[in-house]
Amino acid sequence: MTDCLFCKIVNNQIPAEKTFEDKNFLAFKDIHPKAPTHILVIPKKHITSLADMHPGDAPLIGQLMHRVALIAEQVGIAEKGYKVVLNIREHGGQVIPHIHVHLLGGKALHWEV
Ligand code: AMP
Ligand code: ZN
């Protein structure tokens, strides 16, 4: 999507501090980190939110979650543990309409809604 911020990061039109990239996925540091480690993991395919995925996207989203676990290992937060957050639409607090997984860790994190 041409006017999507995260598609622009995928297409290198906007810089980001990348932690992982392959054919289907990209991970980069959140610009306003809410934990010592705060990484966003996205599919390169533009899917607006979890609520907008099609049944055919299920394998890709499954792989996305596996990739999140692998990145947690890669950045050294897996042993202690971490939190994974998906914000969806207005009440979920989603600001960027391109599905992204927040990977948060590096300290004990509490549950706030
Ligand atoms: P959400 O509220 O789930 O849509 O989260 C969007 C996240 O994207 C926020 O945590 C922002 O800090 C982050 N963000 C916005 N712009 C950028 C950017 N250019 N590079 C990295 N992270 C960003
Ligand atoms: Zn997009």
Side-chain angles (χ1 to χ4, degrees), residues 33-39 77 80-85 102-112:
K34 290 176 178 61
T37 298
H38 188 173
I39 294 168
I77 59 172
K80 284 272 191 180
Y82 51 90
K83 203 174 288 297
V84 164
V85 175
H102 294 261
L103 170 60
L104 299 143
K107 68 171 187 181
L109 296 166
H110 302 288
W111 182 250
E112 281 179 43

Side-chain angles (χ1 to χ4, degrees), residues 8-83:
K8 285 181 179 167
I9 289 176
V10 167
N11 295 323
N12 290 308
Q13 294 169 276
I14 290 177
E17 211 173 320
K18 295 178 187 176
T19 44
F20 176 85
E21 181 166 17
D22 71 3
K23 189 164 69 72
N24 293 319
F25 305 106
L26 179 65
F28 51 95
K29 290 188 179 172
D30 195 292
I31 206 166
H32 298 303
K34 290 176 178 61
T37 298
H38 188 173
I39 294 168
L40 301 174
V41 191
I42 67 170
K44 290 187 171 179
K45 178 181 178 183
H46 182 92
I47 298 169
T48 304
S49 81
L50 190 75
D52 298 291
M53 66 180 276
H54 297 292
D57 294 322
L60 184 71
I61 298 306
Q63 286 164 21
L64 172 67
M65 299 312 287
H66 182 228
R67 181 48 61 190
V68 170
L70 294 176
I71 292 168
E73 293 274 357
Q74 178 192 323
V75 301
I77 59 172
E79 194 180 336
K80 284 272 191 180
Y82 51 90
K83 203 174 288 297

